[in-house]
Each structure stands twice: as C-alpha cells, then as structure tokens.
Amino acid sequence: MKKIRLVLTIGIIASFFGFVIPSFARSISTYDVTIPRQGAIVTGSLKKESAGKGVHNNSAIGGNKRINTSIRLKNDSSNITPSYNMGSGDRITLSYSGGGSSYNGSNTSLGIATPVTTTVKVAAQGSWSPDEK
C-alpha cells in the first residue's frame, strides 16, 4: 500500500511539473548568418509573451567587426526597440519603445545590420528572445 501511494505521489508531482514548467519557458531563437556589407538580415519570428525587455546574446562576430541590432514587429518590420551596437560575445537587453507590455502577443523578429562603414560581409552567431525572462 505504501509503495502504491509513493508511486502515485511521484506521478502526480511529475505530471504537475510537466505542465507547470513549460508555461514559464520563454521562446529563444538561434542564428548563424552572414550579413551583407552595408546591409541587414531579419531572423525568423518569435512571439512576445511578457512585459519585460528583450535580450540578444551574441556568441561570435567575424573579423573583429560590430553589428547593429533591434527587435522588429514581424508584420511590418518596424523597429520596436532602439538600435543597439554590439561586439562579439556581448549580451544586451533591449528596451521596448512604449514598454514591453505594449507588444505582448506580437510576432517579433530580430534585425541585424552591419554599420554603414563596414565594407565586407560579416558572419555572426548567437541567440535572442523578445522576452528577457
């Protein structure tokens, strides 16, 4: 009887965490791109799910270059954060114009561009999320 109760208790606890933990998970997307010289790329879409800031975690930028980055609305490509300049290995948080809650439920994408002074293609890798937490 004690074994059955223990198994049921463990099963209930496991199923509880199985349903609760994913609801706290944020969407994260990775990228591995080559940005055209004096150009830009836009990543795939992620839905914004909280009122907080966005985050961009760059793991590598080729040639000791820097990139400009912002979060955009997917449907019309308008920037909803200011453009930030970042280097290889930087992790930045991106504040939303009008506050993060203004964009809850919106499909977003990450824009990555080379500065106008960059005359070569730039390879970049990293991850991002429209929700920091």
Side-chain angles (χ1 to χ4, degrees):
M1 184 68 166
K2 287 184 180 182
K3 287 183 181 181
I4 293 173
R5 183 177 290 161
L6 178 63
V7 170
L8 287 174
T9 302
I10 292 171
I12 290 170
I13 291 171
S15 67
F16 173 74
F17 282 113
F19 290 111
V20 173
I21 291 172
S23 67
F24 294 115
R26 64 184 165 112
S27 299
I28 300 173
S29 180
T30 61
Y31 63 87
D32 184 353
V33 297
T34 301
I35 309 159
R37 61 180 182 213
Q38 299 175 347
I41 60 97
V42 179
T43 66
S45 178
L46 290 177
K47 185 173 279 194
K48 177 148 181 58
E49 299 171 350
S50 77
K53 298 176 180 180
V55 63
H56 183 169
N57 188 21
N58 177 271
S59 54
I61 300 173
N64 201 28
K65 302 294 183 186
R66 296 186 68 83
I67 58 175
N68 297 324
T69 185
S70 63
I71 296 177
R72 303 172 174 195
L73 283 177
K74 187 66 175 176
N75 62 349
D76 67 3
S77 296
S78 62
N79 287 343
I80 56 177
T81 68
S83 182
Y84 293 83
N85 185 270
M86 66 190 307
S88 183
D90 288 351
R91 181 187 187 276
I92 60 170
T93 55
L94 298 94
S95 298
Y96 288 92
S97 306
S101 60
S102 302
Y103 303 101
N104 277 355
S106 297
N107 287 322
T108 62
S109 58
L110 183 72
I112 307 171
T114 53
V116 294
T117 56
T118 302
T119 58
V120 296
K121 296 178 193 175
V122 176
Q125 298 87 36
S127 61
W128 75 283
S129 176
D131 301 297
E132 180 182 18
K133 297 179 182 176

